[in-house]
Each structure stands twice: as structure tokens, then as C-alpha cells.
């Protein structure tokens, strides 16, 4: 069982930055995939950024060049650095990991970008 706790959300003005953190309950060495998803009101949940074992990353086209995902194995944590935020980035952001083929989700953290 893997438990995830996200933090770092909040209210920020357009053009500002936030860093989200997702702490896992155990070692993330054996976790194959870690990612950040978001869900805006009335929209489906979408992948924002993902990172796999070995460090390869992928990003949604809408955030490429503005967001960066990283992981700190020693701290069992995955981060999402969000820069140049836009009003359309407003959403609840969720952390997800895949461990032994099972998906685990955090409860989400709200990011609100004011224009």
C-alpha cells in the first residue's frame, strides 16, 4: 500500500510560480511511474507531467517549457515546479504513482491562478 500526500497548492497571480510536493509513504525506488494530473471544473482529469524510473519525463503540450517534474528518492518525494502560471492552469492537482501495476492517487491540492 502506498499513500500519497500533496502540498504546495494555493492562490497565485498569473505569471507567478508554485511548487507542488507529493510525499509517498514508503521508498519510491520501486515505483515505476510518478506523475501529476489535474482536473479543472467541468473537465476530465488530464496528465500534466510524468517521470519514470531512470528519470525520463513527459509533459502535456500546454505546460511544456513552463512546468518541471522531478523526484527525490532520498525524500520519497516528487515535485512539480510550475512557472509562468496562467488562469487556465487553475485546477485540482493530483499526484499518482504506479507501484507493482497498481495506481495510487493522492487527494489533490487546489491551484488557483488569478488573472
Amino acid at each position: 500500500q502506498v499513500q500519497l500526500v500533496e502540498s504546495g497548492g494555493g492562490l497565485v497571480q498569473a505569471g507567478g510560480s508554485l511548487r507542488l510536493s507529493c510525499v509517498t509513504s514508503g521508498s519510491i525506488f520501486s515505483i515505476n511511474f510518478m506523475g501529476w494530473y489535474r482536473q479543472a471544473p467541468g473537465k476530465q482529469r488530464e496528465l500534466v507531467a510524468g517521470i519514470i524510473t531512470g528519470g525520463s519525463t513527459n509533459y502535456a503540450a500546454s505546460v511544456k517549457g513552463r512546468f518541471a517534474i522531478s523526484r527525490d528518492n532520498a525524500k520519497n518525494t516528487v515535485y512539480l515546479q510550475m512557472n509562468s502560471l496562467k488562469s487556465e492552469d487553475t485546477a485540482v492537482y493530483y499526484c499518482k504513482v504506479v507501484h507493482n501495476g497498481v495506481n495510487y492517487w493522492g487527494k489533490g491540492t487546489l491551484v488557483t491562478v488569478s488573472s
Side-chain angles (χ1 to χ4, degrees), residues 88-105:
E88 52 262 45
D89 295 319
T90 294
V92 178
Y93 284 70
Y94 297 90
C95 178
K96 170 188 161 181
V97 303
V98 180
H99 177 59
N100 290 339
V102 178
N103 294 333
Y104 296 91
W105 291 91

Side-chain angles (χ1 to χ4, degrees), residues 3 12 20 42 48 65 67 73-74 78 88 90 94 101 115:
Q3 293 182 327
V12 63
L20 306 183
V48 176
F67 291 10
N73 292 341
V78 61
E88 52 262 45
T90 294
Y94 297 90
S115 56

Side-chain angles (χ1 to χ4, degrees), residues 48-72:
V48 176
I51 185 168
I52 61 173
T53 305
S56 295
T57 59
N58 66 297
Y59 296 92
S62 59
V63 307
K64 198 170 292 186
R66 299 188 297 122
F67 291 10
I69 188 170
S70 62
R71 59 192 286 176
D72 186 333

Side-chain angles (χ1 to χ4, degrees), residues 12-69:
V12 63
Q13 287 189 331
S17 299
L18 284 174
R19 188 175 80 156
L20 306 183
S21 300
C22 174
V23 181
T24 67
S25 58
S27 171
I28 64 173
F29 281 106
S30 61
I31 292 177
N32 307 103
F33 171 86
M34 304 184 79
W36 288 95
Y37 290 70
R38 68 185 180 188
Q39 188 166 18
K43 295 188 177 181
Q44 289 189 331
R45 192 172 298 188
E46 62 175 355
L47 174 67
V48 176
I51 185 168
I52 61 173
T53 305
S56 295
T57 59
N58 66 297
Y59 296 92
S62 59
V63 307
K64 198 170 292 186
R66 299 188 297 122
F67 291 10
I69 188 170

